[in-house]
Amino acid sequence: MNSYEHLLSPIKIGETMVKNRVFMPPISTNLAKDGYVTDELVEHYAARAKGGVGLIVTEVTTVEPTYVYLPGDMSIADDSFIPGWKKLTDAVHQYGSKILPQLFHPAYMAFPIPGTPQLIAPSNVGPYYAKEAPRAVTVDELKIIIQQFGQAAYRVKQAGGDGVEIHAAHAHGLLGGFLSPLYNKRTDAYGGDIHGRLRLTLEVIEEVRKTCGKDFIIDVRISGDEYTDGGQNLNDAIYVAKQLEKAGVDFLHVSGGTTIMRGSSIPAPGTPMGSHSRVGEEIKKHVSIPVATVGRITEPWFADEMIANGKADICMIGRANLCDSEFVHKAEEGREDEIRPCIGCLRCLNGIMFGKRVACTVNPSLELENEDTILQAETKKKVLVIGGGPAGMEAAFVAKKRGHDVVLCEKEDTLGGQVKRAAVPIAKQELTKLIQYMERKLNREGVQIRLNCEVTEKMLKTEFSDYEVIASTGAEPLVINSFTKFKQCVTADDVLAGKAFPGRKVVVIGGGSVGCETADYLAPLVNDLFPRNREIILLEMADGIMLQESGPGRSLLAQRMMKKGVQIFCKAKVENVETDKIYYTQNNIQHCIDDADTLVLAMGYRSNPKVEEVLKESGLTYHLLGDAQQVGNIKDAITQAYQLAKEI
């Protein structure tokens, strides 16, 4: 018996037996082409099936040809899509997994491709999301759309699919919009009370069941609570769940929140695991069909606990399976410490929003050739890696895996580099797991690690004279010397590393991610005017804060700062600093802060040019990596390291 007997036990869904309770929820990949299944898409889902996932719900799959959700999403709007789907279902079935597409009509959330007609919606409500007001869909159009859902489901059955998921959650797309009072203001039979708002979804279910028969899984994704004033609440969702069971739905995928309330539906970094589990647990009490819970379930022990404790029948585990396609097998075999940790950064989602293919910070390659399958180097070399941050650790691991003799030197007494400081702010603790994971895999691979070892020019010319060098020495905080006149002037790095302890009134210069995270970290946890609370002022010269970031994490960080009373001033340029005064200009008016205790500099980072000067002088073949080459994020660093070490 394995240690996760509840999670890995089989479950019957309708007429179908699924081998375990790890289901993969929809995650957009942008790997389809013009809606058609590609070989890359087949490989992507087949890898998760091979890794042991019991059932896969694919990304959004549109049921009609007019409206596109994302340019790289899937479709099954006519019979020409069936062959690709057949290839996909066959690839997944060979590993004993089941597969359902998520059927979806994007409606007022469609991508504005040129030539797209005016978007449709339950009502002409558009300010939350649409760039222009949509029109209310007509009843006659709804009759056609219902048939399109049924026809799409039938094509799935023809292609060998095991069923479909019908997306009616998050006030998202046509069905989710009809269910939500935020969007549905209709006064006909499809609006008004909960019965009217639910009617379209019930008619779609009826059509799919009539078209596809009893031995075809129908799952519906709903929001257990929209967590929004004026939205659908838990009492509504319990009633909806009961009606869906009566309508013949085989299981419920209970999520929560809405796409328009950032951070409510897609859990941000630092969100507790099982972010929608409370609503799913309550709904489970009132239905007899299986209930799946979802929301940042990233560790097998937690998923097993959810099922063992009766909080859910199924765990939808998405980004953890994206991060590590062998998640299930590693858990089953007791190799939990080898599971790549999902750090919740949502870079996978952020890229999708800008038309990029799916990617992962911790897993630098989602291709068939990756860290696990990488080929040996034709010529074995001696490789010196300078710097034990994420870039250096990844480069050392891949180089060693390819057969090179690798030495990793780190000047500090532990590995991790900047990530050790990045893990300190609120909601960033997950990064500690990344450092642990990367260090473990270096040790497993047998990389020689030297801590408290700063590589000198002399060492390069003697001990390492026949090595190829990878320098991943990180970056230094930008410091304006004239600002250091202030009585206590420190960098954000100093604060996060525990090297500096700020006073009671703190001014932070820089409203990027580091400045905001440091302000949030220093601010009082409760804004209650307690006499010993710190007062935090954040000055940013740009028009807004964190302009390079998007997504739920950014949203929740901004909300936290405001709740805590952090005073945020944008378009505020610091002009001059004296021992006890900070002068800044905003809207051509000069202001002076004369009672601050501490000035924190968070104005960005720069690479240290001396590193390359020393390497040039050594005459060795060298490569600059990560922030040593160009300042970026953790994803940039790990991906660059993987690509570089793969070529050496």
Side-chain angles (χ1 to χ4, degrees):
M1 181 70 71
N2 60 61
S3 57
Y4 302 109
E5 58 182 304
H6 304 95
L7 181 65
L8 300 177
S9 64
I11 184 169
K12 191 172 185 184
I13 304 293
E15 304 290 312
T16 304
M17 187 63 72
V18 182
K19 64 182 179 181
N20 62 46
R21 297 166 189 238
V22 179
F23 289 16
M24 187 168 179
I27 301 176
S28 290
T29 64
N30 274 345
L31 293 177
K33 185 173 178 57
D34 299 323
Y36 289 91
V37 172
T38 61
D39 288 345
E40 279 185 297
L41 202 49
V42 172
E43 291 165 1
H44 175 77
Y45 285 119
R48 273 81 210 158
K50 183 180 180 183
V53 171
L55 182 148
I56 294 169
V57 182
T58 74
E59 61 219 77
V60 161
T61 304
T62 52
V63 300
E64 57 82 57
T66 307
Y67 301 102
V68 173
Y69 179 56
L70 288 173
D73 271 332
M74 304 161 80
S75 180
I76 194 154
D78 62 50
D79 289 355
S80 67
F81 294 96
I82 294 175
W85 273 95
K86 182 71 168 68
K87 189 173 183 180
L88 175 57
T89 59
D90 287 348
V92 168
H93 285 158
Q94 69 176 312
Y95 299 109
S97 301
K98 308 302 180 184
I99 184 167
L100 324 175
Q102 184 187 70
L103 297 189
F104 187 69
H105 190 303
Y108 50 95
M109 293 179 172
F111 198 82
I113 293 174
T116 301
Q118 183 181 11
L119 303 185
I120 60 172
S123 307
N124 60 347
V125 175
Y128 305 126
Y129 197 101
K131 293 183 178 178
E132 57 185 50
R135 66 175 179 83
V137 63
T138 68
V139 172
D140 286 342
E141 287 172 321
L142 289 179
K143 290 177 181 176
I144 294 170
I145 290 169
I146 291 164
Q147 291 177 348
Q148 289 171 329
F149 270 96
Q151 291 161 2
Y154 185 65
R155 292 185 195 105
V156 172
K157 185 168 186 176
Q158 288 177 293
D162 300 288
V164 294
E165 173 169 282
I166 295 167
H167 191 349
H170 308 149
H172 191 52
L174 192 65
L175 300 185
F178 262 82
L179 262 177
S180 176
L182 294 170
Y183 281 107
N184 190 337
K185 314 293 181 178
R186 297 173 78 99
T187 57
D188 63 9
Y190 291 93
D193 63 12
I194 189 68
H195 306 93
R197 299 199 310 274
L198 180 58
R199 180 173 177 169
L200 178 61
T201 299
L202 292 178
E203 290 181 356
V204 166
I205 293 164
E206 182 183 13
E207 183 71 15
V208 171
R209 184 61 77 204
K210 181 177 72 177
T211 306
C212 297
K214 190 178 179 183
D215 61 341
F216 188 76
I217 296 171
I218 300 177
D219 135 46
V220 179
R221 190 176 202 184
I222 60 171
S223 285
D225 194 319
E226 291 183 346
Y227 314 132
T228 307
D229 290 346
Q232 179 180 288
N233 59 47
L234 177 57
N235 291 329
D236 297 332
I238 291 169
Y239 180 77
V240 165
K242 290 179 177 180
Q243 304 315 305
L244 294 176
E245 180 176 22
K246 287 179 184 175
V249 168
D250 295 304
F251 81 94
L252 297 172
H253 178 179
V254 180
S255 185
T258 69
T259 53
I260 52 180
M261 182 181 172
R262 283 179 287 278
S264 65
S265 61
I266 299 173
T271 303
M273 283 196 285
S275 55
H276 303 303
S277 60
R278 290 180 184 174
V279 291
E281 179 183 7
E282 190 60 33
I283 287 170
K284 178 172 158 49
K285 296 174 184 176
H286 302 278
V287 294
S288 57
I289 55 175
V291 170
T293 191
V294 70
R296 185 125 190 79
I297 302 171
T298 60
E299 298 181 33
W301 72 266
F302 182 83
D304 195 69
E305 281 286 299
M306 294 290 288
I307 295 166
N309 297 340
K311 294 179 180 293
D313 300 296
I314 297 157
C315 284
M316 288 281 181
I317 302 177
R319 299 183 197 280
N321 273 304
L322 179 69
C323 185
D324 194 332
S325 63
E326 290 288 318
F327 177 92
V328 178
H329 281 165
K330 288 178 180 179
E332 194 171 24
E333 295 164 8
R335 296 187 291 133
E336 297 90 336
D337 65 350
E338 294 181 35
I339 296 174
R340 288 185 189 88
C342 172
I343 58 175
C345 64
L346 293 177
R347 295 282 177 193
C348 49
L349 176 67
N350 294 353
I352 291 294
M353 298 302 185
F354 297 101
K356 297 179 182 178
R357 54 161 293 157
V358 68
C360 175
T361 291
V362 181
N363 187 349
S365 176
L366 302 180
E367 311 295 338
L368 287 177
E369 185 189 41
N370 54 47
E371 286 183 336
D372 299 326
T373 60
I374 200 160
L375 302 175
Q376 289 276 301
E378 291 183 10
T379 304
K380 306 297 192 289
K381 298 179 178 180
K382 293 181 177 180
V383 177
L384 169 65
V385 179
I386 307 175
M393 287 194 281
E394 179 68 17
F397 171 76
V398 175
K400 179 68 174 176
K401 187 126 187 172
R402 297 186 63 232
H404 298 304
D405 181 7
V406 181
V407 178
L408 169 63
C409 294
E410 167 55 50
K411 66 180 180 180
E412 296 186 12
D413 59 358
T414 56
L415 295 174
Q418 285 287 91
V419 177
K420 290 185 293 184
R421 288 170 276 286
V424 171
I426 290 168
K428 300 295 290 293
Q429 193 272 342
E430 301 280 356
L431 290 173
T432 61
K433 295 193 291 187
L434 172 61
I435 298 170
Q436 290 177 322
Y437 165 76
M438 297 191 82
E439 185 170 2
R440 282 196 298 266
K441 69 180 187 178
L442 288 176
N443 290 329
R444 277 199 304 271
E445 206 58 38
V447 172
Q448 184 184 154
I449 301 170
R450 299 187 192 176
L451 301 175
N452 299 304
C453 178
E454 186 164 5
V455 176
T456 63
E457 189 173 352
K458 181 180 178 181
M459 292 168 70
L460 291 173
K461 290 182 176 178
T462 54
E463 181 181 1
F464 298 116
S465 61
D466 55 346
Y467 280 67
E468 191 162 333
V469 181
I470 298 173
S472 57
T473 48
E476 300 174 340
L478 278 169
V479 174
I480 297 176
N481 288 333
S482 62
F483 290 2
T484 62
K485 295 177 193 172
F486 197 75
K487 55 190 174 187
Q488 189 189 18
C489 179
V490 300
T491 66
D493 279 27
D494 292 333
V495 172
L496 298 176
K499 295 178 180 178
F501 192 75
R504 293 270 297 282
K505 184 164 183 177
V506 181
V507 175
V508 179
I509 302 179
S513 293
V514 174
C516 289
E517 287 174 356
T518 305
D520 180 38
Y521 170 65
L522 293 175
L525 291 175
V526 179
N527 183 21
D528 60 356
L529 303 181
F530 188 70
R532 292 205 301 272
N533 278 356
R534 281 197 181 100
E535 180 183 353
I536 311 294
I537 297 172
L538 180 71
L539 303 176
E540 169 54 53
M541 63 188 296
D543 292 348
I545 58 171
M546 296 183 283
L547 294 178
Q548 303 305 312
E549 296 294 332
S550 61
R554 181 204 176 282
S555 176
L556 294 189
L557 173 53
Q559 291 176 52
R560 276 200 308 272
M561 286 194 295
M562 291 188 286
K563 286 176 185 174
K564 293 176 176 184
V566 174
Q567 300 166 59
I568 302 170
F569 298 98
C570 296
K571 299 182 182 178
K573 184 177 182 182
V574 177
E575 303 282 2
N576 186 34
V577 173
E578 298 175 0
T579 305
D580 56 359
K581 292 182 175 65
I582 300 163
Y583 297 92
Y584 69 94
T585 302
Q586 187 184 45
N587 299 325
N588 297 317
I589 300 172
Q590 189 177 73
H591 303 266
C592 177
I593 302 170
D594 60 7
D595 58 348
D597 301 307
T598 307
L599 177 61
V600 178
L601 305 181
M603 300 176 292
Y605 295 85
R606 64 180 176 187
S607 303
N608 183 354
K610 292 181 182 178
V611 173
E612 187 164 18
E613 290 171 12
V614 171
L615 290 169
K616 279 182 179 177
E617 179 65 25
S618 73
L620 300 176
T621 300
Y622 69 88
H623 313 270
L624 296 177
L625 191 58
D627 286 349
Q629 180 188 45
Q630 183 176 354
V631 176
N633 56 43
I634 301 172
K635 178 180 178 298
D636 297 331
I638 293 177
T639 301
Q640 289 169 14
Y642 169 78
Q643 296 293 347
L644 172 65
K646 197 172 72 166
E647 301 301 325
I648 287 178

